[in-house]
Coordinates of all heavy atoms in Angstrom, one line a residue:
M1 N 18.0 -10.6 6.3 CA 18.5 -9.7 7.4 C 19.8 -10.3 8.0 O 19.7 -11.4 8.5 CB 17.4 -9.4 8.4 CG 16.3 -8.5 8.0 SD 16.8 -6.8 7.9 CE 16.6 -6.3 9.7
A2 N 20.8 -9.6 8.0 CA 22.0 -10.1 8.7 C 21.9 -9.9 10.2 O 21.4 -8.9 10.7 CB 23.2 -9.3 8.2
Q3 N 22.2 -11.0 10.8 CA 22.1 -11.0 12.3 C 23.4 -10.4 12.9 O 24.5 -10.9 12.6 CB 21.9 -12.4 12.8 CG 20.4 -12.7 12.9 CD 20.2 -14.0 13.8 OE1 20.9 -14.9 13.7 NE2 19.2 -14.0 14.6
A4 N 23.3 -9.4 13.7 CA 24.4 -8.9 14.4 C 24.9 -9.8 15.5 O 24.1 -10.3 16.3 CB 24.1 -7.5 15.0
K5 N 26.2 -10.1 15.4 CA 26.7 -11.0 16.5 C 27.0 -10.2 17.7 O 27.9 -9.4 17.7 CB 27.9 -11.7 16.0 CG 27.6 -12.9 15.0 CD 29.0 -13.5 14.6 CE 28.7 -14.6 13.5 NZ 29.9 -15.2 13.0
P6 N 26.3 -10.5 18.8 CA 26.6 -9.8 20.0 C 28.0 -10.3 20.6 O 28.2 -11.5 20.7 CB 25.5 -10.1 20.9 CG 24.9 -11.4 20.4 CD 25.3 -11.5 19.0
Q7 N 28.8 -9.3 20.8 CA 30.1 -9.7 21.4 C 30.1 -9.6 22.9 O 30.1 -8.5 23.5 CB 31.2 -8.8 20.8 CG 31.5 -9.1 19.4 CD 32.8 -8.6 19.0 OE1 33.3 -7.5 19.4 NE2 33.5 -9.3 18.1
I8 N 29.9 -10.8 23.5 CA 29.8 -10.8 24.9 C 31.2 -11.2 25.5 O 31.3 -11.7 26.6 CB 28.8 -11.9 25.4 CG1 27.5 -11.7 24.5 CG2 28.4 -11.6 26.8 CD1 26.5 -12.8 24.7
R9 N 32.2 -10.9 24.8 CA 33.5 -11.1 25.3 C 33.8 -10.1 26.4 O 33.2 -9.1 26.5 CB 34.6 -11.0 24.2 CG 34.6 -12.2 23.3 CD 35.7 -12.1 22.3 NE 37.0 -12.3 23.0 CZ 38.2 -12.1 22.3 NH1 38.2 -11.8 21.1 NH2 39.3 -12.3 23.0
E10 N 34.8 -10.4 27.1 CA 35.3 -9.5 28.2 C 35.6 -8.2 27.6 O 36.3 -8.1 26.6 CB 36.5 -10.1 28.8 CG 37.0 -9.4 30.1 CD 38.2 -10.1 30.7 OE1 38.5 -11.3 30.3 OE2 38.8 -9.5 31.5
K11 N 35.0 -7.2 28.2 CA 35.2 -5.8 27.7 C 36.7 -5.4 27.8 O 37.3 -5.7 28.8 CB 34.3 -4.8 28.3 CG 34.6 -4.5 29.7 CD 33.8 -3.3 30.2 CE 34.1 -3.0 31.7 NZ 33.3 -2.0 32.2
V12 N 37.1 -4.7 26.8 CA 38.5 -4.3 26.8 C 38.7 -3.1 27.7 O 38.0 -2.1 27.6 CB 39.0 -3.9 25.3 CG1 40.5 -3.5 25.3 CG2 38.8 -5.1 24.4
E13 N 39.7 -3.2 28.6 CA 39.9 -2.2 29.6 C 40.8 -1.1 29.1 O 40.8 0.0 29.5 CB 40.4 -2.8 30.9 CG 39.4 -3.7 31.5 CD 40.2 -4.9 32.1 OE1 40.4 -5.9 31.3 OE2 40.4 -4.9 33.3
Y14 N 41.7 -1.5 28.2 CA 42.8 -0.6 27.8 C 43.0 -0.6 26.3 O 42.7 -1.6 25.6 CB 44.1 -1.1 28.4 CG 44.1 -1.1 29.9 CD1 44.1 -2.3 30.6 CD2 44.0 0.1 30.7 CE1 44.0 -2.4 32.0 CE2 44.0 0.0 32.1 CZ 43.9 -1.2 32.7 OH 43.9 -1.2 34.1
T15 N 43.5 0.4 25.8 CA 43.9 0.5 24.4 C 45.4 0.8 24.3 O 46.0 1.3 25.3 CB 43.1 1.7 23.7 OG1 43.3 2.9 24.4 CG2 41.7 1.4 23.6
C16 N 45.9 0.5 23.2 CA 47.4 0.6 22.9 C 47.8 2.1 23.0 O 47.2 2.9 22.4 CB 47.7 0.0 21.6 SG 49.4 0.2 21.1
P17 N 48.9 2.3 23.7 CA 49.4 3.7 23.9 C 50.0 4.2 22.6 O 50.1 5.4 22.4 CB 50.4 3.6 25.0 CG 50.8 2.2 25.0 CD 49.7 1.4 24.6
K18 N 50.3 3.3 21.7 CA 50.9 3.7 20.4 C 49.9 3.9 19.3 O 49.9 4.9 18.7 CB 51.9 2.6 20.0 CG 53.3 2.7 20.7 CD 54.2 1.8 20.1 CE 55.6 1.9 20.7 NZ 56.6 1.0 20.1
C19 N 49.1 2.9 19.1 CA 48.2 2.9 17.9 C 46.7 3.0 18.3 O 45.8 3.0 17.4 CB 48.5 1.8 16.9 SG 48.1 0.2 17.6
K20 N 46.4 2.9 19.6 CA 45.1 3.1 20.2 C 44.1 1.9 19.8 O 42.9 2.1 19.9 CB 44.4 4.4 19.7 CG 45.2 5.6 19.9 CD 45.4 5.9 21.3 CE 46.3 7.2 21.5 NZ 46.8 7.3 22.9
R21 N 44.7 0.8 19.4 CA 43.9 -0.4 19.2 C 43.6 -1.0 20.6 O 44.3 -0.8 21.5 CB 44.6 -1.4 18.3 CG 44.5 -0.9 16.9 CD 45.3 -1.9 16.0 NE 44.6 -3.2 15.9 CZ 44.7 -4.0 14.8 NH1 45.4 -3.6 13.8 NH2 44.1 -5.1 14.8
D22 N 42.6 -1.9 20.6 CA 42.2 -2.6 21.8 C 43.4 -3.6 22.1 O 43.9 -4.2 21.2 CB 40.9 -3.4 21.6 CG 39.7 -2.5 21.5 OD1 39.9 -1.3 21.8 OD2 38.7 -2.9 21.1
L23 N 43.7 -3.7 23.4 CA 44.7 -4.6 23.8 C 44.1 -6.0 24.1 O 43.0 -6.1 24.6 CB 45.4 -4.1 25.0 CG 46.2 -2.8 24.8 CD1 46.8 -2.3 26.2 CD2 47.3 -3.0 23.9
E24 N 44.9 -7.0 23.8 CA 44.5 -8.4 24.1 C 45.2 -8.8 25.3 O 46.4 -8.5 25.5 CB 45.0 -9.3 22.9 CG 44.3 -9.0 21.6 CD 43.1 -9.9 21.4 OE1 43.1 -11.0 21.9 OE2 42.2 -9.4 20.6
R25 N 44.5 -9.5 26.2 CA 45.1 -10.0 27.4 C 45.9 -11.2 27.1 O 45.3 -12.1 26.5 CB 44.1 -10.2 28.5 CG 44.7 -10.0 29.9 CD 43.7 -9.8 30.9 NE 43.3 -11.1 31.5 CZ 42.2 -11.4 32.1 NH1 41.3 -10.5 32.2 NH2 42.0 -12.6 32.6
I26 N 47.1 -11.3 27.5 CA 47.9 -12.5 27.2 C 48.4 -13.1 28.5 O 48.3 -12.5 29.6 CB 49.1 -12.2 26.3 CG1 50.0 -11.2 26.9 CG2 48.6 -11.8 24.9 CD1 51.3 -11.0 26.1
N27 N 48.9 -14.3 28.4 CA 49.4 -15.0 29.6 C 50.6 -14.3 30.2 O 51.4 -13.8 29.5 CB 49.8 -16.5 29.2 CG 48.6 -17.4 28.9 OD1 47.5 -17.1 29.4 ND2 48.9 -18.3 28.1
R28 N 50.5 -14.3 31.5 CA 51.6 -13.7 32.2 C 52.9 -14.5 32.2 O 52.8 -15.7 32.1 CB 51.2 -13.4 33.7 CG 50.2 -12.4 33.8 CD 49.9 -12.1 35.3 NE 49.4 -13.4 36.0 CZ 49.3 -13.4 37.3 NH1 49.5 -12.4 38.1 NH2 48.9 -14.6 37.8
T29 N 54.0 -13.9 32.3 CA 55.3 -14.6 32.3 C 55.6 -14.9 33.8 O 54.9 -14.5 34.7 CB 56.4 -13.7 31.8 OG1 56.5 -12.5 32.6 CG2 56.1 -13.2 30.4
T30 N 56.6 -15.7 33.9 CA 57.0 -16.1 35.3 C 57.3 -14.9 36.2 O 56.9 -14.8 37.3 CB 58.2 -17.0 35.2 OG1 58.0 -18.1 34.3 CG2 58.6 -17.6 36.6
I31 N 58.0 -13.9 35.6 CA 58.4 -12.7 36.3 C 57.1 -12.0 36.7 O 56.9 -11.5 37.8 CB 59.3 -11.8 35.5 CG1 60.6 -12.5 35.3 CG2 59.4 -10.5 36.1 CD1 61.5 -11.9 34.2
D32 N 56.1 -11.9 35.8 CA 54.9 -11.3 36.1 C 54.2 -11.9 37.3 O 53.5 -11.2 38.1 CB 53.9 -11.3 34.8 CG 54.5 -10.5 33.7 OD1 55.3 -9.7 33.9 OD2 54.0 -10.7 32.6
K33 N 54.3 -13.2 37.3 CA 53.6 -13.9 38.4 C 54.3 -13.6 39.8 O 53.6 -13.5 40.8 CB 53.6 -15.5 38.2 CG 52.6 -15.8 37.1 CD 52.8 -17.3 36.7 CE 51.8 -17.6 35.5 NZ 52.1 -18.9 35.0
I34 N 55.6 -13.4 39.7 CA 56.3 -13.1 41.0 C 55.9 -11.7 41.4 O 55.6 -11.4 42.6 CB 57.8 -13.2 40.8 CG1 58.2 -14.7 40.5 CG2 58.6 -12.6 41.9 CD1 59.6 -14.9 39.9
I35 N 55.9 -10.8 40.4 CA 55.4 -9.4 40.7 C 54.0 -9.4 41.2 O 53.6 -8.7 42.1 CB 55.6 -8.5 39.5 CG1 57.0 -8.4 39.1 CG2 55.0 -7.1 39.8 CD1 57.3 -7.9 37.7
G36 N 53.2 -10.3 40.6 CA 51.8 -10.4 40.9 C 51.5 -10.8 42.3 O 50.4 -10.5 42.8
V37 N 52.5 -11.3 43.0 CA 52.3 -11.6 44.4 C 52.1 -10.3 45.2 O 51.4 -10.2 46.2 CB 53.5 -12.5 45.0 CG1 53.4 -12.7 46.5 CG2 53.5 -13.8 44.3
I38 N 52.9 -9.3 44.8 CA 52.9 -8.0 45.5 C 51.8 -7.1 44.9 O 51.0 -6.5 45.6 CB 54.3 -7.4 45.4 CG1 55.3 -8.3 46.0 CG2 54.3 -6.1 46.2 CD1 56.7 -8.1 45.4
V39 N 51.9 -7.0 43.6 CA 51.0 -6.1 42.9 C 50.2 -6.9 41.9 O 50.8 -7.5 41.0 CB 51.8 -4.9 42.2 CG1 50.8 -3.9 41.5 CG2 52.7 -4.2 43.1
P40 N 48.8 -6.8 41.9 CA 48.1 -7.5 40.9 C 48.2 -6.9 39.5 O 47.8 -5.8 39.3 CB 46.6 -7.4 41.4 CG 46.6 -6.2 42.3 CD 48.0 -6.0 42.8
I41 N 48.8 -7.6 38.6 CA 49.0 -7.1 37.2 C 48.5 -8.1 36.2 O 48.3 -9.3 36.5 CB 50.6 -6.9 37.0 CG1 51.4 -8.1 37.2 CG2 51.0 -5.7 37.8 CD1 52.8 -8.1 36.6
R42 N 48.3 -7.5 35.0 CA 47.9 -8.3 33.9 C 48.7 -7.8 32.7 O 49.0 -6.7 32.6 CB 46.4 -8.1 33.6 CG 45.5 -8.9 34.5 CD 44.0 -8.5 34.3 NE 43.2 -9.4 35.2 CZ 41.9 -9.2 35.4 NH1 41.3 -8.2 34.8 NH2 41.2 -9.9 36.2
R43 N 49.0 -8.8 31.9 CA 49.9 -8.5 30.7 C 49.0 -8.4 29.5 O 48.1 -9.2 29.2 CB 50.9 -9.6 30.5 CG 51.9 -9.3 29.4 CD 53.1 -10.3 29.5 NE 54.0 -9.8 30.5 CZ 55.0 -8.9 30.2 NH1 55.2 -8.4 29.1 NH2 55.8 -8.6 31.2
Y44 N 49.3 -7.3 28.7 CA 48.5 -7.0 27.5 C 49.4 -6.9 26.3 O 50.6 -6.6 26.5 CB 47.7 -5.7 27.7 CG 46.6 -5.8 28.8 CD1 46.9 -5.5 30.1 CD2 45.3 -6.1 28.4 CE1 45.9 -5.6 31.0 CE2 44.4 -6.2 29.3 CZ 44.6 -5.9 30.6 OH 43.6 -6.0 31.6
K45 N 48.8 -7.2 25.2 CA 49.6 -7.1 24.0 C 48.7 -6.5 22.9 O 47.5 -6.8 22.8 CB 50.1 -8.5 23.5 CG 51.0 -8.4 22.3 CD 51.5 -9.8 22.0 CE 52.6 -9.8 20.9 NZ 53.2 -11.1 20.7
C46 N 49.3 -5.6 22.1 CA 48.6 -5.0 21.0 C 48.8 -5.9 19.7 O 50.0 -6.2 19.4 CB 49.1 -3.6 20.7 SG 48.4 -2.9 19.3
M47 N 47.7 -6.2 19.1 CA 47.9 -7.1 17.9 C 48.1 -6.2 16.6 O 48.3 -6.7 15.6 CB 46.6 -7.9 17.7 CG 46.4 -8.9 18.8 SD 47.7 -10.1 19.0 CE 47.4 -10.7 20.6
G48 N 48.1 -4.9 16.8 CA 48.4 -4.0 15.7 C 49.9 -3.7 15.6 O 50.4 -3.9 14.5
C49 N 50.5 -3.2 16.6 CA 51.9 -2.8 16.5 C 52.8 -3.7 17.4 O 54.0 -3.4 17.5 CB 52.0 -1.4 16.9 SG 51.7 -1.0 18.7
F50 N 52.2 -4.7 18.1 CA 52.9 -5.6 18.9 C 53.5 -5.0 20.2 O 54.5 -5.5 20.8 CB 54.0 -6.4 18.2 CG 53.4 -7.2 17.1 CD1 53.6 -6.8 15.7 CD2 52.6 -8.3 17.3 CE1 52.9 -7.5 14.7 CE2 52.0 -9.0 16.3 CZ 52.2 -8.6 15.0
W51 N 52.9 -3.9 20.6 CA 53.3 -3.3 21.9 C 52.8 -4.3 22.9 O 51.8 -4.9 22.8 CB 52.5 -2.0 22.0 CG 52.8 -1.3 23.4 CD1 53.7 -0.4 23.7 CD2 52.0 -1.6 24.6 NE1 53.6 -0.1 25.1 CE2 52.5 -0.8 25.6 CE3 50.9 -2.4 24.9 CZ2 52.0 -0.8 26.9 CZ3 50.4 -2.4 26.2 CH2 50.9 -1.6 27.2
E52 N 53.7 -4.4 24.0 CA 53.4 -5.3 25.1 C 53.7 -4.7 26.4 O 54.7 -3.9 26.5 CB 54.2 -6.6 24.9 CG 53.7 -7.7 25.7 CD 54.5 -9.0 25.4 OE1 54.7 -9.3 24.2 OE2 54.9 -9.6 26.4
G53 N 52.8 -4.9 27.3 CA 53.1 -4.3 28.6 C 52.2 -4.8 29.7 O 51.3 -5.6 29.4
V54 N 52.4 -4.4 30.9 CA 51.6 -4.9 32.0 C 50.9 -3.7 32.6 O 51.3 -2.5 32.5 CB 52.4 -5.5 33.1 CG1 53.0 -6.9 32.7 CG2 53.5 -4.6 33.7
K55 N 49.7 -4.0 33.1 CA 48.9 -2.9 33.7 C 48.5 -3.5 35.1 O 48.2 -4.7 35.3 CB 47.6 -2.7 32.9 CG 47.9 -2.2 31.5 CD 47.9 -0.7 31.5 CE 48.0 -0.3 30.0 NZ 48.1 1.2 29.9
I56 N 48.4 -2.6 36.1 CA 47.9 -3.0 37.4 C 46.4 -3.0 37.3 O 45.8 -2.0 36.8 CB 48.4 -2.0 38.5 CG1 49.9 -2.0 38.5 CG2 47.8 -2.3 39.8 CD1 50.6 -0.9 39.3
Y57 N 45.8 -4.0 37.8 CA 44.4 -4.0 37.9 C 43.9 -4.0 39.3 O 44.6 -4.4 40.2 CB 43.8 -5.2 37.1 CG 43.9 -6.5 37.8 CD1 42.9 -7.0 38.7 CD2 45.0 -7.3 37.5 CE1 43.1 -8.2 39.3 CE2 45.1 -8.6 38.1 CZ 44.2 -9.0 39.0 OH 44.3 -10.2 39.6
H58 N 42.8 -3.4 39.5 CA 42.2 -3.2 40.9 C 41.0 -4.1 41.0 O 40.0 -3.9 40.3 CB 41.8 -1.7 41.1 CG 42.9 -0.8 40.8 ND1 44.0 -0.5 41.7 CD2 43.2 -0.1 39.7 CE1 44.8 0.4 41.1 NE2 44.4 0.6 39.9
S59 N 41.2 -5.1 41.9 CA 40.0 -5.9 42.2 C 39.1 -5.2 43.1 O 39.5 -4.8 44.2 CB 40.5 -7.3 42.8 OG 41.3 -7.0 43.9
E60 N 37.9 -5.1 42.6 CA 36.9 -4.4 43.4 C 36.0 -5.4 44.2 O 35.2 -6.1 43.7 CB 36.0 -3.6 42.5 CG 36.7 -2.4 41.8 CD 36.0 -1.9 40.7 OE1 34.7 -1.9 40.7 OE2 36.6 -1.4 39.7
N61 N 36.3 -5.4 45.5 CA 35.6 -6.3 46.4 C 34.5 -5.5 47.2 O 34.9 -4.5 47.8 CB 36.5 -7.0 47.4 CG 37.4 -7.9 46.6 OD1 37.0 -8.6 45.6 ND2 38.7 -8.0 47.0
Ligands
ZN101 ZN1 49.4 -0.8 19.1

């Protein structure tokens, strides 16, 4: 019996607007960090078509 590997990785919040694949979260650039002071953003990249962009995330406190 093959054991199913449970994927307990962080759930993907967004999919690529171009090819609908799951986006990978990547490190923010310096500019992103500056913007991040005002608006909380995260940078995402698509491993399928190399689309890259930022999304605003809402911290739920
Ligand atoms: Zn894509």
Side-chain angles (χ1 to χ4, degrees):
M1 286 286 275
Q3 273 194 318
K5 284 181 184 174
Q7 289 202 322
I8 317 170
R9 287 185 67 186
E10 189 177 343
K11 69 171 180 181
V12 181
E13 298 140 276
Y14 301 108
T15 53
C16 176
K18 281 187 176 179
C19 68
K20 308 296 179 193
R21 283 177 71 147
D22 292 344
L23 294 177
E24 297 265 333
R25 209 165 91 203
I26 58 169
N27 288 332
R28 291 184 302 170
T29 63
T30 308
I31 291 164
D32 293 343
K33 285 173 187 171
I34 294 163
I35 298 166
V37 174
I38 305 154
V39 185
I41 56 166
R42 280 172 180 171
R43 181 165 285 269
Y44 293 89
K45 187 174 187 176
C46 173
M47 296 302 162
C49 69
F50 300 107
W51 176 92
E52 195 177 314
V54 291
K55 301 269 189 184
I56 297 168
Y57 73 90
H58 307 279
S59 55
E60 290 164 31
N61 295 321

